[in-house]
Amino acid sequence: MKAEDIPLIRKIIRRNKRLELLFAVAGLVALLIGVLTFVALFAQMAFAGWERITPEFFTNFPSRRAAQAGILSAWVGSLLVMLVTAVSAVPLGVASGIYLEEYAPKNLLTDIIEINVTNLAGVPSIVYGLLALGVFVYTFGFGQSILSAGLTLGLLILPVVIVATRESIRSIPLHIREAAYGLGATRWQVTRDHIVPYSLPGIMTGVIIGMSRAIGETAPIITIGALTFIAFLPESPVGPEFPWVNFEWLTSGFTVMPIQMFNWTSRPEEAFQQNAAAAGFILVLMTLAMNAVSIWIRYHVRKDIKW
Amino acid sequence: MQETNSGGAAALVPHGPLSVSDRLAKKALRHFKERLIELLLLGAAFVSVLTTVGIIWVLVSESVNFFGTVSIWSFLTDTMWTPLFAEPRYGILPLLAGTLTTSAVALIVAIPLGTTIAIYLSEFARPTVRELVKPFLELLGGIPTIVYGYFALMVVIPMLQLLMPELSGFNMLGAGIVMGIAIIPYVSSLAEDAMRAVPMSMREGSYAMGATRLQTAFRVVFPAALSGILSAYILGISRAVGETMIVAVAAGMQPNFTVNPLEPAQTISAYIVQVALGDLPHGSIGYQSIFAAGLSLMLMTLALNLVGHVVRRRYREAY
C-alpha cells in the first residue's frame, strides 16, 4: 500500500460511515412513522371520545340522540359472536393442526389440505362474508344471526389457529414422542398426554391473535346483513330454570362493536363522530389487551420450557 | 408399531389378570378407537377444504345467474357502474380502477417503509431494540381496519386538505396512505423473517472482505432473501386489494372511472359493503352483482397467490 493511498482510503471509509448513519436514521424514521401513527390514532380517539366514555355509554342502547347513545347491544353482541367463533374455530383448528403434524401421511390429500390452508389465509375477509351470505344465511337458513356471524369469523380465523398449532407442535423435539411410543403409548395417547399439553402456550397465542383479529372484523359481518341499529339484547344464554342454558340467542339479530363504530363514523354530525371515537377507543383497547396477553404468553410461558 | 408388545407380554404371563382373548379384544377396541380419532381429525382438517369449495361454489353459482342477465363482455368493458339507476349498467372497470389506485397508493407507502424497517431490524438494530419494536409493529397490524378508516377520515384527510385545500373530504389518496400504514407490519415482518433466515456465514464473508453493514445488507442479504421479500410484497398487494373498511369509510362510495388518487372513488370491496348495508332482496340482480364483484376480487387475489408461488420457486436461493 502506498502512502498517498491512505487519505483516499480514509475518505472512502468516512463516506461509507456517513451512508451507514444515514440509513440507520432512515430506519429509525420509518419505525417512528409506524409508532407515531399508532400513538396519534390512539391519542386522537381518546381525546375526541373522552367525554363520552362514561358508565352510561356501556349500559345504553344506540339512540337517535348522540348524547344518549351507548354501546350496550354492540359489546354484548361482540361477546356472543366471539363465543361462537371460539367454540367453532378452536376445536376445528387445533384438530386440523394435530392431524397435519402428527397423523397425515404424505399423499395428495395432505398436499391439497396444506396448500388450501395457505391459500385461505390470503382470501380477503369480505369474500368470507359472501360465503356466509350464500351458505349460512340462505342455504342453511341461519338468517342474519349471531350464529351466522360467529361461524363466519370462525372460518376466517381457522388458518391462523391451524398455523399456530402446527408451528407449536413442530417445536416439540422428536425424542419426546419416541420416549412415549417406546413405552407402548398409542398415537392418540402421545398426542393427548404430550403433544397437546406441551404445545398449549403456542396454540393459546395463535387463538388469541385470531380472536383479536375477529373482534375487529367489520366487512364480513356487514356482508351477512347485520343490522346497524339494534335496541334490544339477545336472549340470555343462561336461564333461571333447568337446564339453565338456552340457545335462542344464537338466532337473534345483533350488532357488534366495529359495526356500531362504522355506523357512527358514516354520520355527518359532529356528536356522532365523538361516539365513534369513544367506541373506537374501546375497540382498540380490547384488541390491545388481547394482543398484550398473547405477547405475554409468548415471552414468559414459552421461555420456561427447556427440552 | 405401538401394538406389537401386547402379544409377547401375553405369552410371558399366561395366568395374568386378563386372558389372551380379552387382551386381543382390548387391542381391537383400542385399534378401532385410534382409527376413529384419526378420522375425526381428518374430518376437522377437511373443513378448510370445504370452506374453499363453498367459496367457489357460492361465488360461481351466483355469478352464473348474474351473467345470465349481464353479458361478460359488457361487465369487463363497460365504463359505468350504476346498479341503482333505472337503467342499471354493470361495468367493473370503475371499481377496478378504484381498487388498483388505492392499492397503488398503499404500496407506494408500505413497500419502501416496510423494506426499510425490515432491513433496519434485521441488520442494524440491537436485539433489545428489535424485541421492543416487534410487538409494537404487531399491534399496529392488529388494529381493526374500521379504526384505520376513522383515522383516515378524521385525521389524515383533514391534514392533506391543509396542504391541498381543494381536496374533497373523501379521496383515494388519504385512504390509500392509511391502508399503506396498515399493511406495513405484514410487509416488514415477512421481509425481516426472510432476511434473518440468510445464514450468518454469508454476512461474515462479506464483512471479512471489508464491506460495511449497509453494503452487506443491500448487496448480500437482500439478494439472498429476495424470494421471501418478494412474497412479502405480494402478500401486501393482496391485502391492499382485498381491504374493505378503510376505503369504504374514507374513499367515498361513488363509482368513478379514474386513476387520479385525489378524487373519490369506490373499490370492489366497498361496493359489496354498500350493497350489503342496503336491503336488496335475495335473488335480485343487485344481490347477484355483489357475488360477481366478489368473484373478480377472488380471481385477483388468486392470481397474486399464483404469482407469489412462481416467484418463490424462481428466486429461491438454497444454502
Side-chain angles (χ1 to χ4, degrees):
Chain A
M1 190 190 295
K2 280 178 274 175
E4 56 264 37
D5 284 347
I6 289 175
L8 191 66
I9 291 173
R10 285 205 175 125
K11 208 175 135 195
I12 292 173
I13 291 176
R14 265 204 306 279
R15 199 189 63 202
N16 279 337
K17 279 196 168 162
R18 254 201 316 274
L19 278 176
E20 191 129 301
L21 188 72
L22 212 66
F23 184 81
V25 170
L28 277 178
V29 168
L31 272 178
L32 268 183
I33 290 178
V35 173
L36 281 183
T37 306
F38 180 78
V39 173
L41 184 147
F42 203 58
Q44 196 274 343
M45 284 191 308
F47 190 70
W50 192 245
E51 286 171 24
R52 296 290 304 124
I53 302 177
T54 57
E56 289 80 50
F57 191 62
F58 293 90
T59 57
N60 280 359
F61 285 111
S63 160
R64 270 177 239 294
R65 282 184 291 274
Q68 285 164 21
I71 54 169
L72 178 62
S73 47
W75 71 256
V76 172
S78 273
L79 208 69
L80 293 174
V81 169
M82 285 300 106
L83 187 66
V84 177
T85 302
V87 167
S88 56
V90 174
L92 277 179
V94 173
S96 309
I98 290 172
Y99 179 79
L100 290 173
E101 281 302 311
E102 295 292 313
Y103 283 81
K106 278 248 166 289
N107 61 19
L108 185 67
L109 183 64
T110 307
D111 281 350
I112 290 176
I113 295 175
E114 289 199 359
I115 293 172
N116 186 56
V117 171
T118 319
N119 280 339
L120 274 183
V123 171
S125 62
I126 190 136
V127 172
Y128 281 92
L130 291 173
L131 165 75
L133 183 64
V135 174
F136 295 148
V137 176
Y138 289 115
T139 308
F140 291 174
F142 294 161
Q144 291 150 349
S145 62
I146 290 176
L147 182 63
S148 297
L151 291 178
T152 312
L153 296 182
L155 290 183
L156 183 73
I157 67 167
L158 201 54
V160 181
V161 179
I162 295 176
V163 170
T165 305
R166 294 189 67 181
E167 277 181 4
S168 189
I169 290 179
R170 222 175 291 153
S171 69
I172 299 172
L174 202 60
H175 60 72
I176 298 276
R177 298 178 182 83
E178 284 162 353
Y181 283 133
L183 290 171
T186 64
R187 200 179 271 209
W188 173 242
Q189 286 169 335
V190 173
T191 306
R192 187 192 58 197
D193 296 339
H194 299 280
I195 304 299
V196 172
Y198 304 156
S199 55
L200 213 52
I203 294 175
M204 293 269 287
T205 315
V207 167
I208 297 170
I209 295 275
M211 297 293 280
S212 83
R213 187 175 157 201
I215 203 169
E217 274 296 346
T218 323
I221 302 200
I222 290 182
T223 310
I224 66 171
L227 301 172
T228 53
F229 190 87
I230 292 272
F232 60 87
L233 287 182
E235 290 272 325
S236 162
V238 187
E241 285 155 37
F242 188 80
W244 296 293
V245 283
N246 76 64
F247 292 101
E248 278 183 31
W249 56 277
L250 281 172
T251 53
S252 167
F254 70 103
T255 190
V256 290
M257 290 286 295
I259 289 186
Q260 187 63 65
M261 181 179 177
F262 174 66
N263 178 254
W264 281 331
T265 307
S266 44
R267 291 195 185 209
E269 302 97 321
E270 182 84 17
F272 280 108
Q273 300 294 349
Q274 230 181 3
N275 286 356
F281 182 74
I282 290 157
L283 189 59
V284 171
L285 273 190
M286 285 164 142
T287 55
L288 282 190
M290 290 167 100
N291 275 286
V293 170
S294 83
I295 289 170
W296 185 83
I297 291 179
R298 196 165 9 158
Y299 279 79
H300 292 273
V301 181
R302 262 191 191 176
K303 260 185 195 162
D304 295 341
I305 299 178
K306 297 268 188 305
W307 298 111
Chain B
M1 51 189 142
Q2 55 268 31
E3 298 91 350
T4 47
N5 61 355
S6 54
L12 284 172
V13 193
H15 303 295
L18 290 172
S19 70
V20 174
S21 58
D22 279 346
R23 279 172 178 271
L24 286 177
K26 200 178 166 203
K27 188 183 149 191
L29 184 71
R30 188 155 102 159
H31 189 69
F32 175 74
K33 199 177 132 201
E34 288 285 314
R35 287 292 302 162
L36 190 73
I37 286 166
E38 184 169 351
L39 274 178
L40 278 177
L41 295 176
L42 174 63
F46 207 70
V47 168
S48 71
V49 178
L50 289 182
T51 309
T52 307
V53 173
I55 288 174
I56 294 169
W57 175 73
V58 164
L59 291 182
V60 170
S61 68
E62 293 289 351
S63 296
V64 164
N65 293 336
F66 176 77
F67 289 122
T69 320
V70 179
S71 79
I72 293 187
W73 179 248
S74 74
F75 181 71
L76 292 177
T77 57
D78 196 337
T79 57
M80 297 283 278
W81 183 273
T82 53
L84 300 175
F85 284 17
E87 264 182 44
R89 286 170 70 182
Y90 296 96
I92 194 77
L93 285 177
L95 300 184
L96 197 62
T99 302
L100 294 180
T101 311
T102 48
S103 301
V105 174
L107 292 174
I108 289 171
V109 173
I111 286 186
L113 286 177
T115 313
T116 311
I117 289 176
I119 294 177
Y120 181 78
L121 286 183
S122 138
E123 306 298 317
F124 283 77
R126 267 183 256 129
T128 45
V129 176
R130 185 165 48 222
E131 295 296 301
L132 210 71
V133 166
K134 284 204 81 171
F136 232 106
L137 284 174
E138 265 171 52
L139 291 185
L140 203 60
I143 292 178
T145 53
I146 175 69
V147 173
Y148 276 117
Y150 168 87
F151 184 68
L153 188 68
M154 303 301 291
V155 178
V156 174
I157 289 179
M159 270 163 65
L160 290 172
Q161 279 172 327
L162 291 180
L163 299 174
M164 291 173 273
E166 71 282 7
L167 197 65
S168 117
F170 298 97
N171 61 70
M172 293 192 277
L173 184 64
I177 290 174
V178 173
M179 194 152 96
I181 292 173
I183 59 179
I184 285 177
Y186 294 100
V187 175
S188 71
S189 86
L190 272 188
E192 193 211 331
D193 287 347
M195 284 194 272
R196 297 244 277 161
V198 173
M200 212 52 189
S201 57
M202 293 186 66
R203 292 188 187 88
E204 284 159 359
S206 168
Y207 291 141
M209 300 302 288
T212 62
R213 280 192 297 182
L214 193 65
Q215 287 165 335
T216 307
F218 276 100
R219 298 186 200 172
V220 176
V221 179
F222 190 90
L226 193 61
S227 88
I229 294 173
L230 287 179
S231 18
Y233 293 170
I234 286 166
L235 177 81
I237 299 173
S238 78
R239 288 272 154 192
V241 167
E243 172 46 53
T244 310
M245 293 321 290
I246 300 175
V247 284
V249 169
M253 280 289 201
Q254 290 299 314
N256 187 358
F257 188 33
T258 175
V259 289
N260 179 2
L262 301 179
E263 287 188 38
Q266 190 170 42
T267 65
I268 298 176
S269 51
Y271 169 71
I272 299 174
V273 162
Q274 187 192 25
V275 170
L277 280 173
D279 212 13
L280 273 179
H282 176 53
S284 66
I285 180 83
Y287 173 85
Q288 289 159 0
S289 74
I290 63 176
F291 289 90
L295 184 64
S296 322
L297 198 61
M298 187 70 192
L299 288 177
M300 283 166 78
T301 49
L302 199 65
L304 282 169
N305 275 343
L306 285 179
V307 170
H309 206 69
V310 171
V311 162
R312 268 196 299 280
R313 282 267 167 85
R314 175 119 185 239
Y315 293 97
R316 162 96 79 212
E317 302 268 341
Y319 306 109

